[in-house]
Amino acid sequence: MAIKQITPMQEINGYIEAQVKRHTDALLRSLRYVGERCINAARESQGYKDRTGNLRSSVGYVLAVDGKIVEQSAFEIVKDGKQGAKDGSRYAKEVVRKFPEGVALVVVAGMDYAAYVSATGRDVLDSAELLADRLVPQMLKKLGFRK
């Protein structure tokens, strides 16, 4: 007795595509949430005194799928930190280019001296990174993704 396919292939492909889109949308929503939580943690950190506002203004995230940016946070201007917001946005876009495949969440502090401030033991993105390390595995597990 032979097995005969009665469902049209177009219908099967449509179902599979719909399921992939549903899972991708759920993943992107979760990563947006993580990105927002990370930038809030970084901006609220009192680990350093931001005299000009540039360093806090340079904090933000970019979310990309297959190298294409699907969402970018607002690099909110703090004090007179217009240059920080501009540099942060530019740097996030530059970093995300390194991930041409898959889904990428990039959280940055885009001022060129951010690494120096962090290296002196001050919390620039440290608390945000720890938060992401905790949240992402939890969310992936809830969404049904495996290691």
Side-chain angles (χ1 to χ4, degrees):
M1 176 174 181
I3 297 175
K4 183 178 178 187
Q5 178 180 335
I6 57 173
T7 305
M9 207 55 202
Q10 182 179 356
E11 207 172 301
I12 294 170
N13 289 338
Y15 175 79
I16 292 170
E17 287 175 17
Q19 293 304 309
V20 168
K21 182 174 178 358
R22 187 174 68 83
H23 280 74
T24 301
D25 289 348
L27 176 62
L28 293 176
R29 263 192 316 278
S30 295
L31 290 176
R32 278 186 203 104
Y33 173 77
V34 171
E36 290 296 330
R37 290 279 308 268
C38 286
I39 62 174
N40 287 339
R43 288 178 181 157
E44 291 168 3
S45 167
Q46 298 298 314
Y48 60 93
K49 182 168 175 117
D50 193 4
R51 298 183 200 310
T52 64
N54 280 323
L55 188 52
R56 277 203 175 78
S57 297
S58 75
V59 173
Y61 73 88
V62 171
L63 186 55
V65 176
D66 294 330
K68 293 182 178 129
I69 296 172
V70 294
E71 183 154 331
Q72 176 177 323
S73 69
F75 285 81
E76 294 177 16
I77 297 172
V78 178
K79 295 182 184 177
D80 293 322
K82 290 179 186 173
Q83 188 62 44
K86 181 179 170 185
D87 287 356
S89 178
R90 178 194 49 76
Y91 183 60
K93 290 174 185 173
E94 179 182 315
V95 171
V96 85
R97 280 189 228 127
K98 296 177 183 178
F99 302 95
E101 294 179 358
V103 177
L105 171 65
V106 176
V107 180
V108 299
M111 293 306 294
D112 56 358
Y113 56 85
Y116 170 78
V117 173
S118 184
T120 63
R122 293 178 175 84
D123 179 9
V124 177
L125 285 179
D126 299 330
S127 58
E129 182 179 1
L130 291 172
L131 179 63
D133 285 345
R134 193 178 78 242
L135 289 177
V136 170
Q138 290 173 357
M139 294 191 151
L140 291 176
K141 186 176 179 181
K142 281 183 183 179
L143 292 172
F145 291 95
R146 296 185 195 129
K147 273 189 170 181

